Amino acid sequence: MGLRKRKGKGSVVEPKGFIDLTEMPLIVPAETDARVKIIEVRTFEDLSVPAELAYKGNILFIRCTLPEENRKGAMETITAELKRIAKDCGGDMVIIGDSSVLLTTNGVKIDNMISKRKKKA
């Protein structure tokens, strides 16, 4: 059975009402100082600047240019601290590639659409 009603002879079809979007008021959010910031981190001590910017509500793209000696350990320490900052700010964090991090704040969640590849043995 169909969802349409059958119209009998002599019935009048009324035109549908449409909303004129030009008559609707435009709601613009208030200006904010929050921005997307691109930052470079070379040591753990450099995290004070990204932390301050994150607590102010900015979204951060962080490039980690770490020295080659103990690079893996330093990256793990830095990402652990950035995860803590993101959690404190109500945001999210994702590692991009080997040396970049995206950190959001104020409830902005990251929807990672990149499928994770399985490593072949």
Side-chain angles (χ1 to χ4, degrees):
M1 178 173 236
L3 295 176
R4 290 200 246 166
K5 287 185 176 180
R6 294 189 177 178
K7 296 182 181 122
K9 290 186 179 183
S11 64
V12 179
V13 178
E14 295 182 21
K16 293 182 180 180
F18 291 97
I19 299 172
D20 187 4
L21 295 178
T22 59
E23 293 177 2
M24 295 187 73
L26 179 63
I27 300 171
V28 180
E31 182 95 10
T32 179
D33 290 336
R35 302 281 187 256
V36 176
K37 305 279 187 175
I38 300 173
I39 302 170
E40 185 175 63
V41 171
R42 293 185 179 154
T43 64
F44 182 80
E45 289 76 26
D46 292 343
L47 287 179
S48 62
V49 173
E52 181 181 330
L53 291 170
Y55 287 120
K56 289 182 179 177
N58 294 292
I59 296 173
L60 307 177
F61 182 83
I62 304 164
R63 287 184 296 218
C64 300
T65 53
L66 305 171
E68 288 300 318
E69 66 276 354
N70 197 18
R71 178 179 172 84
K72 185 178 179 182
M75 187 67 177
E76 288 175 1
T77 306
I78 288 172
T79 54
E81 181 65 16
L82 290 172
K83 282 181 187 178
R84 187 192 62 76
I85 293 169
K87 185 177 179 183
D88 287 348
C89 295
D92 206 358
M93 188 207 80
V94 67
I95 301 170
I96 303 170
D98 293 335
S99 61
S100 297
V101 176
L102 180 64
L103 186 142
T104 63
T105 58
N106 296 333
V108 177
K109 298 297 178 187
I110 298 171
D111 188 6
N112 190 356
M113 300 298 288
I114 300 171
S115 62
K116 297 186 180 188
R117 296 180 185 159
K118 293 180 181 178
K119 294 182 180 180
K120 294 182 180 179

